Structure formats: structure tokens, C-alpha cells
Amino acid sequence: MQTNGIFKRSRLITTGVLFALFLIITITFYAITGLSKSPEKSISKPTVERGSIVDRNGKPLAVQTSFYHFVLTPKTLPHSKIYQFADDVAPVLGLNSKSLAEKIKQNSDANFLYVQKKITENQHRELLEIIAKRNYTSVRFDKIPGRIYPENDLASQLIGYMGDAGVGLSGIEYSEQNTLSPQTDPNNPVHKYGNNIFLTIDANLQYKLEKIARETMAQTKCESLMMLACEAKSGEILSYISLPSANLNAYSSASQEEQIDRPSVSAYEPGSVFKVFSVASFIDEGTIKKDSTFYCDGVYEKTTSTGEKIKITCLGHHGTLTPEGALKYSCNDALAQMSDTIETNRFLTKIKQLGFGTITGIERASETSGFVKTPGDKFWSARSKATISIGQEISVSALQMIQGGTTIANMGVPIQLTFISKITDKDGNIKYIHDPQYKQRVFSESTSRYIINCMEKTTLEGNGTRANVEDLSIGTKTGTAQMADPVHGGYSKTDFIASCMGIFPVQDPEIVLYVVIQKPKGETYGGRIAAPAIKKAANEIIDHMGMNRAGAASLSHTGRISVSEPKSVNVEKTVPDFIGKSKRDIIPLLSREDLNIIIQGEGWVKEQTPPAGTPVTENMTIELFLGQ
């Protein structure tokens, strides 16, 4: 029987071979698939809710929120829609629509383009509505952790700033990163909560003192200013001012000058304020007595056994002075003579015991140690000990000066400075509370009491009269220091640092207050421009803390006072009318986790965004602008 042509032998062989190959490939594929590991299930990324930073009374200074990066894929956006897209989204973002369209056209082949970074929840919500209406499919939103700073530039260098990656970049945000945002295990997708940090500063007092500091800057036309107030018995910093300062809500656009944390990182010669520590050292070491006398003829001159000549001028011819008089009139001649009575290392040891030459150890990531020159140093000379005694040839920080002030105020015992009052978890449970840490005694109680009394005399009769509060005792010491000339070397003839330290009340010191005015224009003496700032700031602190003034009026009454409770503001389905409400009325809303409340200014609400009657949505941002 003859085979049909379709079934010729060669065709059957070819078909068989192809079928066999198909079987082999199929079997191999399923074998590999069966033996290979099954794809791992994606693990959710662990999330952290960053803790808040608040003042000592719980007033929010840095709170958690969310922002969005608005991203476009230009390559997939039709060319005909570019201008329409720009016209739609630019007004929401505060951009120029033509500029945005040109930007998109220039990147028309790109797969990725930031339209705008860090847009708010309100902007995000508006854009979502536009995108849905226009059916734009070439966009996306990347949610990022964010931070709102309700008080803008208040204590900005202390609070610090958190970057887009959710990590603190400066201030407490940086130094307490692990407290605010605990580290997560990438293999354990558990949502974690950071702890809340209560700072030692009082935001209301900080606001009042910053106002004084800004007024002083304007009056003196200075380049920068520092003002610190510290509780003497606890070491807690009540106010921490460094001007100019940065708006934390616009930190990326802040200048370098606005970002500098001067009280912590700036080292400078303190000038005559340092004389209180020098005189205390001489008396405590017994090399001079309280009734010792020194004659000032306007200049201190000395020739050493090696022929080296020393000359230190004084601003006056003060005649015969005791240590009290030397401080009262800030006499360089008398201080230099006192320095001759003490052996160099004994003097330097006292200075270092006060904390000069080492960091204070306060909660800062960066802190200068300053510099205390010693006989072994290259630039030590025969005049070094004398000039250190008057606040030259030594560099200090404002924090170190405050620390030294607490030593005098605490009757010779220094105390550890701190910015942190307490730490709580998200439920308010206390994880840490500050307990004052006293250090080794430096001066005797009698020496410290004597120095404070000398400072009071300086306020009443000496160079500190412009700091006199009058109805409450305050001890002061002023200073004026020439700044170094970085170009020609030596000291500048035009650049000065004016400063003043105040300790009050004298009978039982509670507060150490210190102000430093750098590069003022015109008047430069600390007694004339820094002392008045101390007086204004001290008055604010006295009233704020309720200290008893000598002339305070008294009134007899039943002891029963009626105080009407402020009506709380409720935010429910629609945004209420906030106009006319006080800051106190709206502060409770900051605890709402479903709303982002931004308060700008002090006083009463003058303007609000969005307007009253707007439907409330989750994570909605409400901005309130206050004024007097």
C-alpha cells in the first residue's frame, strides 16, 4: 500500500522532533518553576510618628504633619495638554503658569520631574480634584513626613529643623533625633511613636524677650545679638535667643547668618564681665582680701626680669580702689595688679573649674569649648595672665558665661545647664524629668556672696546703673571688648562686643541673665547699650515669674476670685469663624491629630485660611493669622 504524500516519512520525522522539543521545553519550564523559591511577600515598611517639641508648659513648638512631593512624568503628558495642565495647577502652587509650562516643555522627554516639593495637605487636596476632573494620568504624589513650627522663628536655633528625610538637621531636632523618632527594624513593620520633649524655655517669656532683643538690635544697629536667661537653682534655660534667626517653616531659604546657633558655637573674648570670675578667684585663693587696696593711675605698666614690657591702659584714673571698687568702675589697672598676686596655674585652675575651656555638656550636638591659654602655648606672654583677668586672651561661649554666672548665684556651686524639662510618651507618661545636677564647689559661700554684693554696688553706683530695676535688687557687670581683626591681625578699631550680666534678686538669686551685642554701630560701651537691655528683660522676667517688687501694691480681699472659663472653639463638620478669638482659645486645637493648625503671630485672630464654612476634611490644614 502506498503512503499518502501528506504522511511522507520526512514530514513525520520533522513533526516528531518538533513535538519532542516542545515537550522538553514545557517539562523544563515547569521543573524550574517547581524547584525555584516562591516570590517573597513584600514586607510593609515600618513607620514612625515623630514626637513633638513643646515648651515647659506644653505649648507646641514643633509638631508632626505630612507633606507631598508633586511629581510629573512629562514624557506621557500630551504636548497639547502642557499649557492646560500648567494653567490648572500653577495657581494652587503659587507658580507662574507660563514658567511652569516652559519647564515641562524643556523636560518633555523626561520620565520624572518635580512640579513642586513639599506641598501642603490643602494643596494636595485641591490638586486631586483638578486631576480627577481633567483626567491627568501623568502625575503622582509622594507623601513625606513633615514638620510644622507654629511659632515660626521663635527660639529657632534651639528647636532646630527636620529635613525631608524625617531626620533632624539642627538644634533639638538633631541632638534628640532618637528620642523624637526611635529607630525601626525593617523586618518588623510595627508602627512606632516617638517621645515628646518638653523644653525648659517658656514660649511666652521667650516671645517677650525676643521683642526686647529685636528692639535692641534696631537701636544699636548691631550685626547679631545673644540673650540667655537661666534659672540659677535648676540650671534650666528659660530663654535662648540668637539673632538674626530663621523662620523654621521656610528654613531652606534662610541665610547662613540666620541659622547660626551663636550661644553654643560662637567663641569670643568676654571683656570686663569676666572680671567677676577673676576677682572671685583671687579672693577665694586668699591672694587678696576684701579690704585690699590698689592704686589706679590710668595705666598698668611692668617690666619683667627678662626685659619684657607690659602696658595695659584703663579708661579712667580711679585712684585707690578695693576689689569692690575695681568691679564697680571696671578698672583694668587694679585687676592687672590683682593678677600679680596669684600664681598662674592656681588662677587658670579656678577658671577651668568654672567650666571655661570645656563644653558645658548641654543638649547640643555642636558646642564650642572656647579656649583658655596656658603658659605652654605658643602665644603665651608675660602679659597673658593680666589680660585674661580682664577678659582678653581667653575665648568663651555665652553658655559658658551663663554657667559661670550660676556658680556665683548658687553660692559657689556650678550646676549642669539643660534645655530639657521632661520627656513623655505619646500617652503623656513621663519617661524622664529633669533633676538639678550640681557640680563640685568652686568658690566659698562667703566669696560668692561678696561678689554678688559687689555686682549690686555696680548697679547702684557704677557702670551698671542703666540696668537698675529700682524696686528689686539686681547685681550686674558690664563689658566692652574689642574684636579680633582677621585681616590685619591684632584688635579691630571699629568692631566691638558689648555685654552685660545680671543676677537677681541679690538676696536669694533666682535668675542669671546675659546679653551680648556684637558689632554695634555708634555707641559701643556695654554699660550704655547692653545694660538697658538687661533692665528691660529683667523687668519682663520679674513680672512673668511673679517676683515680689519692693513697691508692689497690696489689696485686701476675701480671697475668692471669679474667673470665667474661655469658650472652647470646636471644629466639627465645617471650619468655624475664628476671627476675634484669642491664642489661648485656639491652643487646645493643636492636640487634634486629624487637623494641622498653624498659628502665626500673637494676640487675636485677624485672618484665617480656609474661610469659615469650608467643609472639614481629614488632615486639613487651618492657618490662623494673629495680631494685636
Side-chain angles (χ1 to χ4, degrees):
M1 181 177 176
Q2 198 170 7
T3 308
N4 190 301
I6 297 174
F7 298 103
K8 288 183 179 179
R9 182 179 183 84
S10 61
R11 291 183 179 179
L12 288 171
I13 292 172
T14 301
T15 302
V17 169
L18 291 173
F19 181 71
L21 287 171
F22 174 75
L23 283 175
I24 291 170
I25 291 170
T26 303
I27 293 168
T28 302
F29 172 77
Y30 282 105
I32 292 171
T33 303
L35 292 172
S36 63
K37 292 181 180 180
S38 57
E40 294 182 4
K41 294 180 179 179
S42 62
I43 300 175
S44 300
K45 187 178 179 181
T47 56
V48 177
E49 186 171 326
R50 193 177 183 87
S52 297
I53 300 174
V54 300
D55 82 338
R56 66 190 299 119
N57 301 311
K59 185 174 186 176
L61 300 174
V63 293
Q64 178 83 350
T65 188
S66 293
F67 292 109
Y68 299 85
H69 290 332
F70 185 24
V71 181
L72 171 70
T73 305
K75 194 173 184 179
T76 62
L77 180 68
H79 193 274
S80 60
K81 288 189 175 184
I82 289 178
Y83 283 97
Q84 181 64 59
F85 176 81
D87 287 342
D88 287 339
V89 305
V92 178
L93 301 172
L95 301 176
N96 180 279
S97 60
K98 289 184 179 179
S99 299
L100 177 57
E102 289 301 315
K103 179 180 176 182
I104 296 170
K105 284 175 64 179
Q106 290 170 8
N107 295 274
S108 58
D109 293 330
N111 290 314
F112 182 94
L113 177 68
Y114 279 122
V115 180
Q116 182 111 313
K117 288 186 176 182
K118 290 188 71 173
I119 66 172
T120 66
E121 185 66 47
N122 277 349
Q123 291 173 315
H124 174 238
R125 188 165 44 253
E126 287 186 57
L127 290 171
L128 284 177
E129 293 176 1
I130 293 170
I131 289 164
K133 181 179 178 180
R134 295 287 193 181
N135 195 29
Y136 292 127
T137 58
S138 303
V139 297
R140 77 164 192 265
F141 296 94
D142 294 338
K143 188 175 182 179
I144 60 169
R147 209 70 160 152
I148 288 179
Y149 300 94
E151 301 299 325
N152 296 313
D153 62 347
L154 190 83
S156 63
Q157 291 94 344
L158 171 58
I159 297 165
Y161 175 73
M162 187 194 79
D164 290 349
V167 177
L169 300 179
S170 65
I172 292 294
E173 292 274 38
Y174 177 78
S175 63
E176 299 301 311
Q177 167 68 23
N178 291 337
T179 300
L180 292 163
S181 183
Q183 294 183 349
T184 59
D185 181 356
N187 298 315
N188 184 14
V190 177
H191 184 76
K192 287 190 174 182
Y193 294 89
N195 291 319
N196 301 314
I197 293 180
F198 285 70
L199 298 179
T200 56
I201 67 165
D202 184 312
N204 291 328
L205 179 61
Q206 176 84 14
Y207 175 80
K208 294 173 183 177
L209 297 192
E210 281 195 12
K211 185 178 180 181
I212 292 170
R214 293 182 193 282
E215 290 171 353
T216 302
M217 277 195 78
Q219 291 164 2
T220 63
K221 298 180 175 62
C222 65
E223 286 192 6
S224 61
L225 184 146
M226 296 179 275
M227 184 183 288
L228 283 74
C230 178
E231 280 189 340
K233 293 180 173 63
S234 69
E236 295 186 356
I237 303 295
L238 288 176
S239 181
Y240 188 82
I241 299 171
S242 178
L243 298 179
S245 58
N247 181 349
L248 295 175
N249 291 307
Y251 193 78
S252 58
S253 61
S255 68
Q256 185 176 359
E257 287 295 308
E258 291 172 333
Q259 296 177 22
I260 297 174
D261 179 10
R262 290 176 180 79
S264 294
V265 303
S266 295
Y268 58 93
E269 290 190 356
S272 294
V273 175
F274 197 80
K275 290 174 182 175
V276 296
F277 307 122
S278 298
V279 173
S281 299
F282 304 147
I283 288 178
D284 209 68
E285 287 295 302
T287 62
I288 66 171
K289 296 180 179 179
K290 298 170 186 177
D291 58 357
S292 297
T293 57
F294 305 88
Y295 184 78
C296 167
D297 59 3
V299 61
Y300 168 83
E301 291 184 289
K302 180 180 178 181
T303 302
T304 67
S305 58
T306 59
E308 187 174 353
K309 293 184 178 181
I310 305 168
K311 184 177 181 180
I312 298 174
T313 58
C314 195
L315 291 176
H317 292 69
H318 300 114
T320 302
L321 297 172
T322 62
E324 179 187 283
L327 288 176
K328 185 165 66 173
Y329 299 115
S330 200
C331 180
N332 291 340
D333 189 352
L335 261 291
Q337 292 178 53
M338 291 181 205
S339 71
D340 284 337
T341 68
I342 193 170
E343 193 271 327
T344 299
N345 287 328
R346 287 173 67 187
F347 179 39
L348 297 180
T349 296
K350 278 292 186 184
I351 289 173
K352 291 178 180 179
Q353 286 176 347
L354 283 163
F356 297 106
T358 57
I359 63 172
T360 67
I362 203 167
E363 300 89 357
R364 309 305 281 161
S366 298
E367 186 184 355
T368 181
S369 61
F371 183 69
V372 176
K373 190 182 291 187
T374 61
D377 293 327
K378 180 180 178 181
F379 296 104
W380 181 270
S381 69
R383 63 177 286 134
S384 292
K385 182 173 58 168
T387 52
I388 288 174
S389 74
I390 62 174
Q392 295 178 357
E393 289 194 50
I394 181 173
S395 66
V396 303
S397 72
L399 281 172
Q400 288 175 334
M401 291 294 284
I402 279 284
Q403 181 177 251
T406 66
T407 304
I408 302 294
N410 284 317
M411 300 296 113
V413 181
I415 191 169
Q416 176 61 52
L417 302 180
T418 184
F419 289 126
I420 298 178
S421 173
K422 66 179 177 180
I423 298 173
T424 66
D425 64 17
K426 68 180 183 68
D427 297 317
N429 299 310
I430 294 177
K431 310 290 288 185
Y432 163 84
I433 190 161
H434 173 244
D435 183 32
Q437 302 295 315
Y438 292 94
K439 301 180 181 181
Q440 187 175 355
R441 178 177 289 278
V442 177
F443 301 131
S444 68
E445 184 174 341
S446 63
T447 295
S448 301
R449 172 51 62 192
Y450 173 73
I451 294 297
I452 292 176
N453 290 338
C454 289
M455 293 175 71
E456 183 181 23
K457 277 293 183 71
T458 301
T459 306
L460 297 173
E461 304 170 7
N463 294 346
T465 53
R466 297 190 182 194
N468 191 359
V469 179
E470 296 175 358
D471 54 1
L472 185 141
S473 58
I474 179 172
T476 59
K477 183 68 193 81
T478 63
T480 307
Q482 288 176 281
M483 298 182 70
D485 186 337
V487 178
H488 305 99
Y491 288 101
S492 170
K493 295 180 180 180
T494 58
D495 295 338
F496 295 85
I497 291 178
S499 60
C500 185
M501 179 177 287
I503 298 177
F504 59 92
V506 167
Q507 294 75 16
D508 183 18
E510 295 181 41
I511 301 295
V512 179
L513 180 61
Y514 183 53
V515 64
V516 182
I517 302 170
Q518 296 179 300
K519 295 187 179 181
K521 303 293 188 297
E523 184 60 75
T524 59
Y525 288 113
R528 295 178 183 173
I529 60 176
I534 286 287
K535 177 178 180 176
K536 293 176 184 177
N539 272 316
E540 286 290 357
I541 294 171
I542 291 163
D543 290 340
H544 186 85
M545 298 185 69
M547 295 181 182
N548 290 326
R549 293 180 180 270
S554 61
L555 177 67
S556 299
H557 58 80
T558 62
R560 190 172 295 177
I561 303 173
S562 297
V563 180
S564 58
E565 285 290 325
K567 293 181 179 180
S568 59
V569 181
N570 293 321
V571 180
E572 296 177 348
K573 293 183 179 180
T574 60
V575 175
D577 185 359
F578 288 97
I579 305 302
K581 297 292 183 183
S582 70
K583 195 168 189 177
R584 181 181 176 186
D585 294 336
I586 56 183
I587 282 293
L589 292 177
L590 295 173
S591 62
R592 289 275 294 265
E593 295 183 357
D594 59 332
L595 295 173
N596 296 319
I597 308 294
I598 300 177
I599 303 173
Q600 304 208 34
E602 293 289 331
W604 293 266
V605 179
K606 302 292 185 183
E607 187 180 341
Q608 69 178 73
T609 302
T614 303
V616 173
T617 57
E618 188 175 359
N619 293 322
M620 184 182 208
T621 296
I622 299 175
E623 291 188 83
L624 304 173
F625 302 90
L626 282 60
Q628 299 295 333

